[in-house]
Amino acid sequence: MKNLAIVDLGSNSARMAVNRLHPNGTADEIKRIKEDTRLSEGMGAQHVLSATAIDRTIKALRHFKRIYSRMPNTDVIGITTAAVRMAQNQAAFLMRVKKEVGLDLKVLSGDDEAYYDYLGVANSLVVNDCLILDTGGASCELILVKGGQAKQLISVPFGAVTLSEQFELDDVVPAANLFRAQMFLRNRLADIWWLTEAMHFPIILLGGANRTLARINRRRQQKLKVEDIHGYRLKTETVYHTFLDFLTRSRLGRQDISGMEYDRADIIVGGMLPLVTLLQMLDSDRVIFSESGVREGIISEHLNQKTEPKDKE
């Protein structure tokens, strides 16, 4: 029986999921690990990956390799997204990963990333009319779903890390900084003409900042399985109250919130701003969380390719 390991190098964290592939075209996840790499940290306007961030990332990828190398009959797919996609030193970084880790990373385009997000969600949740939002470290993917089908998709070049750095949202958030960030987002999102078709639609959420939002509220609601967020729903009013709580605290204060990852407290305001802005623009009344995204979309595509009948000669 074969295994498939997907190494997903994002802008804020690196993740690896290992799935056991079954002959009937299904898969079961048998291993999942995450390392905080913050690859997009300090890229600046020049979009250059820093030496420190690269070293952190290489260390995480080596850790992943030690794990999947011990698993027999395992194929490995490596993907990377916004930070590497935008990086001026992309080629040098990919070459170093190949040399030091032996991993060929495929740089997903923004459209590819959004499409795999859609596949991952559509194969695990009942989706009809909704907007999918994946908030990453350096980009956000938006997918308009109508009648269960992806009608429009886009990747925009801002995310939790880049917004937090650009508008200094990491610690105590001055009102002027928050206002500038909100105006920036409203102007950028207003350029996406088809977003008006998502008025009043629920928003399905992916990404680390959104997962943190779910975990915090599941703890507050005293749910037994805090990490079991797939399909979990929140009213928009609850999202706003949680965001307001973040704004009234310093970084250290946010670290004290039950369910908050220690390393995410400095980027959680920037990470939630795209969602809060969209909820206001679209007058949506609820959000739904998904644990299935890009990696699950790639697995779905991989399984479909394996099970498609070959054309007869």
Side-chain angles (χ1 to χ4, degrees), residues 129-131 195 198-204 234-240 275-288:
D129 295 340
C130 66
L131 181 73
L195 273 181
M199 287 294 295
H200 309 305
F201 282 8
I203 301 179
I204 296 182
L234 282 179
K235 293 181 179 180
T236 294
E237 182 181 1
T238 304
V239 176
Y240 289 161
L275 169 60
V276 170
T277 305
L278 283 166
L279 287 171
Q280 294 170 335
M281 292 176 64
L282 302 179
D283 195 24
S284 301
D285 67 349
R286 67 192 182 281
V287 299
I288 305 167

Side-chain angles (χ1 to χ4, degrees), residues 21-33:
L21 308 183
H22 302 291
N24 64 357
T26 62
D28 293 322
E29 186 174 278
I30 58 175
K31 186 78 173 178
R32 176 183 288 211
I33 55 176

Side-chain angles (χ1 to χ4, degrees), residues 22-176:
H22 302 291
N24 64 357
T26 62
D28 293 322
E29 186 174 278
I30 58 175
K31 186 78 173 178
R32 176 183 288 211
I33 55 176
K34 171 197 165 192
E35 295 282 343
D36 292 315
T37 53
R38 202 68 69 92
L39 183 58
S40 61
E41 186 175 62
M43 286 184 72
Q46 301 302 314
H47 291 151
V48 176
L49 300 172
S50 74
T52 302
I54 290 174
D55 288 342
R56 282 197 302 262
T57 302
I58 294 291
K59 181 180 179 181
L61 294 177
R62 283 175 172 161
H63 174 53
F64 292 169
K65 183 178 181 179
R66 285 193 293 271
I67 295 172
Y68 63 68
S69 294
R70 294 195 298 263
M71 306 180 76
N73 209 17
T74 298
D75 293 332
V76 182
I77 296 176
I79 60 169
T80 187
T81 52
V84 179
R85 185 163 65 231
M86 296 185 294
Q88 295 292 326
N89 53 341
Q90 176 192 119
F93 171 73
L94 294 175
M95 188 178 301
R96 183 174 169 190
V97 171
K98 173 65 174 177
K99 180 180 179 181
E100 298 187 24
V101 186
L103 183 64
D104 287 307
L105 286 173
K106 178 182 178 182
V107 182
L108 296 184
S109 70
D111 284 355
D112 285 342
E113 189 174 358
Y115 177 68
Y116 285 128
D117 274 334
Y118 163 72
L119 280 184
V121 171
N123 284 316
S124 62
L125 288 174
V126 176
V127 294
N128 190 23
D129 295 340
C130 66
L131 181 73
I132 299 173
L133 167 66
D134 182 357
T135 308
S139 72
C140 289
E141 283 65 52
L142 294 161
I143 306 97
L144 174 67
V145 180
K146 300 180 77 173
Q149 301 298 313
K151 297 299 184 181
Q152 303 285 350
L153 52 81
I154 192 172
S155 178
V156 286
F158 48 78
V161 176
T162 53
L163 287 170
S164 298
E165 290 184 348
Q166 182 177 349
F167 296 102
E168 299 180 14
L169 307 174
D170 57 316
D171 201 352
V172 176
V173 181

Side-chain angles (χ1 to χ4, degrees), residues 158-288:
F158 48 78
V161 176
T162 53
L163 287 170
S164 298
E165 290 184 348
Q166 182 177 349
F167 296 102
E168 299 180 14
L169 307 174
D170 57 316
D171 201 352
V172 176
V173 181
N177 292 19
L178 179 64
F179 183 74
R180 287 190 298 112
Q182 288 179 312
M183 291 302 296
F184 168 82
L185 284 171
R186 280 188 169 273
N187 288 335
R188 295 299 300 271
L189 293 171
D191 290 337
I192 306 173
W193 62 269
W194 48 262
L195 273 181
T196 56
E197 296 184 38
M199 287 294 295
H200 309 305
F201 282 8
I203 301 179
I204 296 182
L205 299 177
L206 303 163
N210 296 322
R211 284 190 294 269
T212 298
L213 169 67
R215 281 195 302 271
I216 288 170
N217 280 281
R218 286 183 70 82
R219 284 191 183 277
R220 289 176 174 175
Q221 295 170 1
Q222 298 182 333
K223 301 288 186 181
L224 291 177
K225 298 180 180 178
V226 174
E227 298 294 333
D228 188 13
I229 69 169
H230 192 65
Y232 177 55
R233 300 179 176 219
L234 282 179
K235 293 181 179 180
T236 294
E237 182 181 1
T238 304
V239 176
Y240 289 161
H241 281 306
T242 308
F243 185 61
L244 179 61
D245 185 20
F246 296 158
L247 290 175
T248 59
R249 298 173 184 245
S250 66
R251 179 178 61 185
L252 290 175
R254 294 194 288 270
Q255 287 175 349
D256 289 335
I257 298 174
S258 181
M260 175 72 72
E261 294 175 271
Y262 179 87
D263 292 331
R264 196 173 290 278
D266 62 331
I267 59 171
I268 191 63
V269 172
M272 277 196 63
L273 260 179
L275 169 60
V276 170
T277 305
L278 283 166
L279 287 171
Q280 294 170 335
M281 292 176 64
L282 302 179
D283 195 24
S284 301
D285 67 349
R286 67 192 182 281
V287 299
I288 305 167

